[in-house]
Amino acid sequence: MSPYAERRARLLAQMEPGSVAVIATAPEVLRNGDSDYPYRHDSSFYYLTGFTEPEAVLLLLAPRGTAPAQSILFCREKNIEHEIWEGYRYGPEAARAEFGLDFAYPIGQLDEQMTRQLSNATALYCSLARNTTLDAQVMRWLESVRRMSRSGITAPSSVRDLLPIIDEMRLLKDEGEQAIMLRAGVIAGGAHERAMRATKPGMFEYEIEAELLYEFRRHGALFPAYTPIVASGANACVLHYNTNNRRTEDGDLVLIDAGCEFEGYASDITRTFPVNGRFSGPQRELYELVLAAQEAAFQAIVPGRQYSGIHEAAVRVLVQGMLDTGLLKGSVDEAIASKSYAQFYMHGTGHWLGMDVHDVGLYRDVSQHEKPSRLIQPGMALTVEPGIYVRPAAGVPEQYWNIGIRIEDDVIVTQDGYRLLTASAPKSIADIEFIMKGGA
Ligand code: GLY
Ligand code: MN
Ligand code: MN
């Protein structure tokens, strides 16, 4: 059974008998004139089908009595005129065979088929309040079923949100997904190494970015997983900086946050290094601090422990370092209680990672009244990304001004800890300085 068929079966098993689920892929988006943005499928649709063409909808029918479960795809028809201009499209018959579906129909038949399949269905599962076009379509389908009520046909009595069920499935990565994510991590790690080797004082940030993009693409990654950040000097203290157009100067650090999307899965890596290949004293001090915070965070990745413990471990180390360097005053506990450390560390220590760079899945156990942080489980994929960002301000030691450092890696939780996906990105000061000297 393909992983997609296996996921459909697992989803169908969670649906009410006699119910119907519908999920559409992402729309094409016009850029201007007759050019679209590069097409990217919807992650959850892809998770259940493996199908990457636009204009496609998956319909799942849960079994009831002797009626078996069914997976039905709606997709674009074969069309030689369009294929001459835009390339191959499967068409329903080939898509059905290739993607292991029970039936496939032209997308133009969706409304008619939905009305038929929703007749006497017990419930409808779909994405709710995320896409107004789809919401309106669902209402139309329900309305057209209700119009047949005089002939004894009933419409589903409940409409439920499908995505929370899929989100929880997506949170735990299967073996195939883990192998793809490792590849995405290895490619992006190599891109960071390439960027380090290429960087010289005086280069523009976009020239460094080009090295990353070249490495992603030449290994078959379709796009960056998000807009790369190449932030030199004071730009590193702007968390979502991505104009990437400053000329670097001798003595700067450059913070690169860049990952690729490989076969639909994201990597997300940050490295920070000196453009001249050698860390200054203050840069070295803060870099070692962030590295130690990341190590403490890694040690907190233990199945059965709370997810929030990862952030807490990183914060504790960072705060101690902020006190040691004179960035903060007082005690560790006071700084944590008052959150005074947020002047220099204002983001979380990671997030779920998968098909989306900030992947789906809850961070809290919502089945409990207090909604505590959820427990770490094998198969979860996450980033670990502590940082420190020192903007010039009164009372802040001047030698640290404008230093911004983040170190971000990707891991998958295993039975007894975690597996690092991004080890190919050089990280220790010794490794970075060695590589930037041209070391092999
Ligand atoms: N690159 C986005 C993030 O690190 O969360
Ligand atoms: Mn991240
Ligand atoms: Mn990142």
Side-chain angles (χ1 to χ4, degrees):
M1 195 190 269
S2 79
Y4 309 104
E6 186 269 332
R7 292 168 195 158
R8 292 195 296 269
R10 268 196 291 137
L11 176 56
L12 280 157
Q14 296 175 70
M15 291 164 55
E16 188 177 320
S19 65
V20 171
V22 62
I23 181 162
T25 196
E28 293 170 288
V29 183
L30 187 68
R31 184 164 183 265
N32 54 37
D34 54 6
S35 293
D36 285 339
Y37 282 102
Y39 182 68
R40 169 57 157 78
H41 53 259
D42 174 79
S43 296
S44 290
F45 172 86
Y46 176 75
Y47 182 72
L48 296 170
T49 61
F51 193 66
T52 56
E53 287 183 17
E55 295 189 85
V57 172
L58 174 69
L59 180 60
L60 297 174
L61 308 183
R64 170 164 49 182
T66 55
Q70 286 181 17
S71 297
I72 303 172
L73 180 74
F74 295 86
C75 64
R76 301 184 303 193
E77 289 189 86
K78 293 292 288 176
N79 181 320
I80 191 63
E81 288 298 319
H82 277 104
E83 290 184 54
I84 286 169
W85 288 91
E86 292 151 18
Y88 178 78
R89 45 171 79 176
Y90 278 93
E93 192 39 47
R96 190 197 63 73
E98 179 69 23
F99 295 90
L101 299 144
D102 298 303
F103 298 96
Y105 301 107
I107 188 74
Q109 293 181 17
L110 181 66
D111 283 344
E112 172 198 328
Q113 280 280 344
M114 282 307 296
T115 308
R116 177 174 335 156
Q117 300 297 354
L118 284 174
S119 297
N120 300 321
T122 51
L124 169 62
Y125 295 78
C126 59
S127 87
L128 285 180
R130 285 182 171 89
N131 172 333
T132 46
T133 313
L134 185 66
D135 289 347
Q137 218 169 2
V138 167
M139 292 305 135
R140 273 206 320 276
W141 294 331
L142 292 174
E143 210 183 342
S144 59
V145 178
R146 266 194 220 110
R147 263 193 245 117
M148 299 187 286
S149 64
R150 289 182 70 161
S151 43
I153 289 171
T154 55
S157 58
S158 66
V159 179
R160 309 207 190 139
D161 198 358
L162 175 64
L163 296 191
I165 306 174
I166 302 176
D167 291 354
E168 283 300 296
M169 292 172 65
R170 281 176 53 187
L171 180 59
L172 301 181
K173 275 66 182 177
D174 61 35
E175 267 181 34
E177 294 181 288
Q178 294 187 21
I180 297 170
M181 290 187 71
L182 175 61
R183 189 80 192 116
V186 169
I187 294 170
H192 279 262
E193 178 176 339
R194 185 187 182 90
M196 287 175 194
R197 289 185 183 281
T199 298
K200 302 278 176 294
M203 271 174 85
F204 282 91
E205 292 164 345
Y206 53 74
E207 292 179 87
I208 303 171
E209 180 183 359
E211 300 289 334
L212 297 157
L213 299 179
Y214 175 80
E215 195 70 10
F216 290 166
R217 202 63 191 100
R218 86 189 188 96
H219 288 291
L222 272 188
F223 342 88
Y226 50 92
T227 306
I229 295 171
V230 181
S232 63
N235 291 339
C237 295
V238 179
L239 294 178
H240 290 164
Y241 175 83
N242 61 19
T243 36
N244 301 354
N245 60 2
R246 175 178 175 271
R247 187 175 201 143
T248 64
E249 290 174 13
D250 201 353
D252 286 345
L253 285 177
V254 60
L255 180 157
I256 299 182
D257 185 344
C260 60
E261 179 168 312
F262 181 75
E263 292 185 3
Y265 287 79
S267 50
D268 182 7
I269 303 180
T270 308
R271 289 291 183 267
T272 310
F273 56 92
V275 295
N276 64 12
R278 198 150 167 81
F279 286 84
S280 71
Q283 290 169 351
R284 188 174 295 260
E285 270 180 89
L286 295 191
Y287 192 88
E288 292 289 11
L289 172 58
V290 177
L291 204 52
Q294 197 197 34
E295 188 50 41
F298 283 142
Q299 294 312 315
I301 305 175
V302 178
R305 291 215 204 141
Q306 285 190 320
Y307 173 76
S308 56
I310 301 172
H311 180 60
E312 288 160 10
V315 165
R316 198 153 270 281
V317 172
L318 287 171
V319 166
Q320 182 63 59
M322 291 174 196
L323 295 170
D324 296 344
T325 50
L327 287 168
L328 286 184
K329 307 224 172 341
S331 74
V332 170
D333 289 335
E334 275 165 21
I336 290 175
S338 68
K339 291 209 160 76
S340 59
Y341 65 84
Q343 181 181 356
F344 308 110
Y345 184 46
M346 59 298 275
H347 60 73
T349 301
H351 49 82
W352 306 135
L353 179 73
M355 292 189 277
D356 302 350
V357 65
H358 288 190
D359 208 30
V360 294
L362 297 172
Y363 289 87
R364 291 177 176 274
D365 179 355
V366 296
S367 69
Q368 296 192 45
H369 179 66
E370 310 77 29
K371 299 191 169 83
S373 174
R374 77 185 299 161
L375 303 184
I376 297 168
Q377 275 175 260
M380 290 173 164
L382 52 108
T383 67
V384 183
E385 49 179 306
I388 196 161
Y389 313 90
V390 185
R391 285 171 173 267
V396 173
E398 214 168 319
Q399 71 267 31
Y400 303 120
W401 283 12
N402 293 319
I403 294 180
I405 294 169
R406 180 164 62 256
I407 304 174
E408 176 174 29
D409 283 284
D410 305 342
V411 306
I412 292 186
V413 181
T414 59
Q415 294 297 336
D416 49 9
Y418 64 91
R419 177 181 191 191
L420 183 62
L421 303 178
T422 45
S424 62
K427 184 160 65 173
S428 70
I429 288 185
D431 282 355
I432 291 173
E433 292 188 343
F434 177 73
I435 275 169
M436 294 190 72
K437 260 196 255 157

